[in-house]
Amino acid sequence: MVKVSEFDKVFNEAQRQGRLSFYFTNRGEEACSVGSGAALRDDDWVWPQYRELGATFWRGYTIEEAANQCCHNELDATKGRQLPMHIGSPEKHLMYVKSNLGQQVPAANGAAYAMKLQRKGRCSITYFGEGCASEGDIPSALNIASVHGCPTIFFCRNNGYAISTHTDDQYKSDGIAPRGVAFGMPTIRVDGNDLLAVYAATRAARRIAVEEGKPALIEAMTYRIGAHSTSDDDSKYRRADSPEEGYDSERAYWDARSPIVRFGRFLEARGLWTAEEETALRKTERAASIKALNDAEKRAQPHVKHLFTDVLDEPPWMLRQQQADLKAHLAKYSEHYAEVTAEQIESM
Amino acid sequence: MLSSLPRRAARQLRGVAAPSLRGAARPLSTAPSDAPEEEPETKKLTMVAAINDALRIALKTDESAVVFGEDVAFGGVFRCTMGLRDEFGEERVLNMPINEQGLVGFGIGLAAVGSTAIAEVQFADYIFPAMDQICNEAAKFRYRSGAEFDCGGLTIRAPAQAVGHGGHYHSQSPEAYFAHTPGLKVVYPRDAYTAKGLLLSCIRDRNPCLFFEPKILYRSSVCDVPTGDYMLPLGEAEVLSPGEHITCVAWGAQVHTMARACERAAAEGVSCEVIDLQTIAPWDMHTIRDSVQKTGRLLVTHEAPLTAGFGAEVAAAIQDACFDHLEAPIARVCGADTPFPLAFEKLYLPDELKIYDAIMRTVQY
């Protein structure tokens, strides 16, 4: 959780400094992804939304890999195709993040069903926010999962806001949990800021999925402490008032009960952790993130030919033609394309 | 007429099972048979039976294959999935709730983890709820992951085109929407023989494929169809009948309407080169180009509305490739720019007479 937190701070600042085009943080929701990620087997399929860096790091995805993708350099596995933090890994059974919302949820059913047919005791987990849950893909997927007994764990991070939209404008029901009940699956609402509760709930859901061949819905109540992303100014919409007295603002209220604070106190109370250790850990993680960013920035960008690769398994004739046309254009007007080297043009 | 059209020899795969693991090589659609050339055993089949046969072969040769869609369990509203559940079991032939986005998404997930997903959308007219899944997910799955993942194992079948009484929502030809999205293949068979071979190619192709079945031909197209496992190449147009004066291009059921128009023109001394495009994306521009460089004239005809239909792409590309060879403007004979009407279906459609008239005007230009 601390690794996510420090990585978030470094990379969010980097965007503000103009070193990255875009970033979104996981602030306040670290337990949702770490707790659930830790409850799975390494080869369960993860279909994320985009605020699950904790589950990603849990699998062993490195900060260097994340930094490479954010800087879309030549080591970026996606060859610079998507926005920062649109990460994934087949070896680690992490499906790629994409910007649009909800499509991963029906797909998680298909992967889960394949695991069921293969009878190897594996499942899928898919994540979505309470805002994303309004998309048609979600009830579509809940229904199909129930009908066909897909071992899918549906994990909803109810974090209070969908960009600027408070939950008051997102639904009038009792949150998202009734939708699981409506579609006939075991459902639980959990304190999303309690790392161990999230872990326990996901363990239970996994057992149901794998042993009973049923989907399960977990609604984790949490709070998005940061902005949606670097593209919005949350001071324009975040509610000012704390739900309880004694806190300056809504954000301050939740900051005080964020997952890292709560788990830190839990460990401290048992003599397993100290404030000094936390400071030292944060320092180490921050330094590692800074180094990863600096290293990633220094590397070259992907070869320009990768504009055209991977559309189909083999490039069709029109792409080969367009690539040849672009090569000729770049050669003819090379002084206008300083970022493309002569060597790259030649080897297109 | 149709039976006299020259037929491409079936490329027979003998005992080659399509491997089910992601990343393993799939048999190429043009893989030649190792055995000595001999006429394959054939049987007279309707297009429905030919499609059913292709699905059966897919399920038999690929243990990861799953067939799913609305009403497929009992055999499907057009009977394309008859008998499959009995033979392959209820785990592999699934009825889906009425939810195209959900079932197509399910297929994407299956394919993404290496299984073969054969989805049915009950009518092409109902594919639109799934467009996000198809165009934003399936089409981009490989590109956005730097080819670390793909959903090449996904094929979506849907009955399409006019049926005589289908109206707005049982008659559409949506190929242009999907041809405009990079990352998809779009295929139309013209008869029972091409249906089986092209469908097996789509199922085994390593890219997500949309297979639009001309529903009016389901029962009316009867061909000698090889009983074995064969595939026809994607991305290749087929010259059905050579000609000298004008190149005529169509796909699906419209191939037959166009062929009849060409016969009328032949009676007037006009020699038409009749071409079935077969794959809309990626389309075989080179065959069309070579033909137009010979004939100097092109006519494209499709049931879908004229504006921004796929005929527009063919026309634009060929005027670029063949400008110096063209003797006349490229003719497009297409559906009107209206929703598909019921009472006026006959007037809406680019029928034999309209095509014949356009052929004659083009050669007389």
Side-chain angles (χ1 to χ4, degrees):
Chain A
M1 294 198 288
V2 168
K3 183 179 193 150
V4 169
S5 173
E6 290 302 318
F7 185 92
D8 273 353
K9 284 187 206 161
V10 168
F11 280 73
N12 206 59
E13 283 164 23
Q15 195 279 342
R16 292 297 182 228
Q17 294 163 23
R19 296 162 75 182
L20 292 181
S21 59
F22 177 84
Y23 190 74
F24 38 58
T25 68
N26 302 263
R27 277 183 73 191
E29 301 183 54
E30 296 88 351
C32 285
S33 57
V34 174
S36 57
L40 303 170
R41 245 172 65 167
D42 281 348
D43 54 0
D44 291 332
W45 284 103
V46 174
W47 293 81
Q49 182 166 310
Y50 46 66
R51 229 181 278 283
E52 294 89 23
L53 189 57
T56 309
F57 283 159
W58 182 270
R59 282 281 167 92
Y61 190 85
T62 65
I63 60 176
E64 289 76 22
E65 285 173 290
N68 287 332
Q69 194 277 333
C70 286
C71 296
H72 45 78
N73 63 30
E74 63 189 348
L75 297 180
D76 170 18
T78 74
K79 301 161 188 159
R81 302 249 164 86
Q82 290 204 88
L83 289 177
M85 293 316 287
H86 286 51
I87 54 184
S89 162
E91 298 78 37
K92 298 175 179 87
H93 300 87
L94 297 163
M95 286 293 168
Y96 270 83
V97 171
K98 71 277 182 306
S99 312
N100 47 3
L101 294 184
Q103 301 81 356
Q104 72 277 12
V105 184
N109 282 340
Y113 193 79
M115 298 301 102
K116 186 177 188 179
L117 289 188
Q118 289 172 24
R119 290 173 169 74
K120 288 180 183 160
R122 295 162 68 184
C123 69
S124 266
I125 189 168
T126 182
Y127 296 87
F128 49 97
E130 86 290 346
C132 175
S134 296
E135 281 284 2
D137 272 327
I138 280 62
S140 300
L142 293 174
N143 192 36
I144 287 174
S146 261
V147 166
H148 286 299
C150 301
T152 311
I153 301 170
F154 295 94
F155 195 106
C156 177
R157 289 179 291 96
N158 188 330
N159 67 7
Y161 288 92
I163 306 189
S164 72
T165 304
H166 189 272
T167 53
D168 287 351
D169 288 334
Q170 197 66 246
Y171 54 73
K172 277 283 175 274
S173 52
D174 174 15
I176 309 305
R179 301 178 202 186
V181 177
F183 286 106
M185 70 180 70
T187 300
I188 190 169
R189 170 172 289 148
V190 71
D191 177 349
N193 285 7
D194 180 335
L195 179 70
L196 299 179
V198 170
Y199 177 81
T202 310
R203 283 285 289 224
R206 187 182 192 281
R207 191 204 60 75
I208 290 169
V210 170
E211 291 176 24
E212 297 181 37
K214 276 188 211 156
L217 172 65
I218 299 171
E219 182 181 16
M221 307 307 291
T222 179
Y223 184 82
R224 199 194 75 203
I225 295 178
H228 163 69
S229 74
T230 48
S231 301
D232 67 301
D233 173 5
D234 62 343
S235 69
K236 298 229 172 339
Y237 58 78
R238 192 179 296 276
R239 293 189 176 180
D241 298 329
S242 165
E244 278 177 24
E245 296 219 355
Y247 300 91
D248 285 341
S249 66
E250 183 181 86
R251 193 208 312 269
Y253 171 87
W254 283 98
D255 227 345
R257 53 197 27 80
S258 76
I260 294 173
V261 167
R262 286 175 63 185
F263 194 61
R265 279 205 224 106
F266 174 86
L267 294 175
E268 275 181 74
R270 281 154 182 75
L272 298 169
W273 193 242
T274 63
E276 290 74 32
E277 281 175 285
E278 177 147 345
T279 304
L281 176 61
R282 285 189 176 276
K283 201 165 157 192
T284 308
E285 290 297 341
R286 179 175 176 80
S289 289
I290 289 172
K291 179 173 194 308
L293 173 61
N294 290 341
D295 287 349
E297 274 181 326
K298 292 193 186 86
R299 302 215 64 123
Q301 292 291 280
H303 195 292
V304 74
K305 73 182 177 200
H306 287 304
L307 166 58
F308 298 105
T309 56
D310 306 329
V311 176
L312 298 176
D313 61 335
E314 298 291 341
W317 64 267
M318 62 282 283
L319 278 188
R320 292 199 300 272
Q321 180 65 53
Q322 287 161 28
Q323 182 169 336
D325 290 347
L326 181 64
K327 177 174 177 167
H329 177 80
L330 291 173
K332 185 172 175 186
Y333 295 99
S334 55
E335 71 274 14
H336 295 276
Y337 294 96
E339 69 277 17
V340 185
T341 65
E343 187 274 333
Q344 277 207 356
I345 298 172
E346 188 54 45
S347 60
M348 263 181 87
Chain B
M1 162 73 179
L2 296 170
S3 58
S4 66
L5 292 174
R7 207 171 274 304
R8 156 175 303 163
R11 288 167 179 81
Q12 189 130 348
L13 301 177
R14 293 178 198 279
V16 179
S20 59
L21 298 172
R22 177 168 61 89
R26 299 220 166 201
L28 296 172
S29 59
T30 52
S33 164
D34 286 336
E37 282 294 328
E38 56 184 71
E39 279 301 302
E41 181 199 327
T42 66
K43 196 169 158 187
K44 280 217 181 317
L45 293 181
T46 61
M47 186 186 275
V48 168
I51 288 166
N52 184 261
D53 206 23
L55 295 173
R56 177 168 288 99
I57 289 170
L59 287 163
K60 195 176 282 189
T61 57
D62 180 349
E63 64 190 15
S64 82
V66 180
V67 166
F68 53 98
E70 294 156 27
D71 299 294
V72 301
F74 91 107
V77 294
F78 289 107
R79 305 286 185 268
C80 291
T81 52
M82 284 286 283
L84 298 180
R85 183 171 241 211
D86 288 342
E87 190 172 342
F88 297 99
E90 57 184 37
E91 275 192 342
R92 297 179 68 198
V93 181
L94 304 178
N95 266 352
M96 280 291 174
I98 303 179
N99 192 296
E100 287 74 16
Q101 69 194 99
L103 75 90
V104 169
F106 179 88
I108 290 169
L110 270 173
V113 298
S115 292
T116 295
I118 308 169
E120 176 177 306
V121 169
Q122 196 156 86
F123 283 86
D125 315 62
Y126 311 150
I127 205 165
F128 299 102
M131 278 196 81
D132 184 37
Q133 288 283 353
I134 295 167
C135 298
N136 269 334
E137 294 299 296
K140 297 171 170 60
F141 219 85
R142 182 189 292 277
Y143 192 79
R144 75 185 186 200
S145 68
E148 293 213 306
F149 287 104
D150 68 77
C151 53
L154 174 66
T155 300
I156 301 169
R157 302 174 36 248
Q161 300 196 307
V163 72
H165 50 268
H168 292 6
Y169 303 111
H170 298 84
S171 313
Q172 292 177 55
S173 304
E175 65 273 8
Y177 300 108
F178 299 104
H180 191 59
T181 300
L184 299 172
K185 291 197 176 180
V186 180
V187 178
Y188 268 96
R190 70 173 177 276
D191 61 17
Y193 168 77
T194 54
K196 180 175 169 180
L198 289 172
L199 179 54
L200 280 169
S201 290
C202 284
I203 290 169
R204 292 163 173 165
D205 191 271
R206 294 313 301 149
N207 302 284
C209 294
L210 292 151
F211 188 75
F212 291 121
E213 302 165 356
K215 64 179 87 69
I216 201 170
L217 299 178
Y218 270 152
R219 260 163 270 285
S220 64
S221 171
V222 179
C223 296
D224 291 318
V225 178
T227 55
D229 187 340
Y230 70 97
M231 293 159 71
L232 293 172
L234 303 185
E236 287 187 27
E238 193 174 345
V239 179
L240 301 181
S241 177
E244 301 301 315
H245 300 140
I246 182 169
T247 302
C248 296
V249 178
W251 49 90
Q254 193 68 356
V255 171
H256 307 291
T257 309
M258 185 180 76
R260 287 193 299 273
C262 293
E263 273 180 64
R264 273 205 203 207
E268 308 292 320
V270 176
S271 159
C272 303
E273 184 141 294
V274 178
I275 302 182
D276 177 3
L277 195 59
Q278 298 191 121
T279 299
I280 313 305
W283 66 291
D284 182 359
M285 188 274 292
H286 299 93
T287 295
I288 313 303
R289 180 201 60 194
D290 291 351
S291 173
V292 176
Q293 285 180 352
K294 179 179 71 169
T295 64
R297 296 175 192 85
L298 174 63
L299 178 143
V300 188
T301 175
H302 56 67
E303 291 184 13
L306 175 73
T307 296
F310 197 72
E313 178 61 36
V314 175
I318 295 300
Q319 68 83 31
D320 181 77
C322 302
F323 192 73
D324 292 336
H325 294 85
L326 286 169
E327 299 289 341
I330 296 171
R332 288 183 295 155
V333 187
C334 302
D337 285 332
T338 69
F340 199 105
L342 182 71
F344 296 130
E345 171 166 331
K346 194 166 178 308
L347 299 180
Y348 163 92
L349 282 173
D351 64 12
E352 180 189 326
L353 194 53
K354 287 177 187 169
I355 299 172
Y356 162 76
D357 185 66
I359 291 172
M360 300 312 289
R361 278 187 284 110
T362 303
V363 298
Q364 287 158 9
Y365 183 79

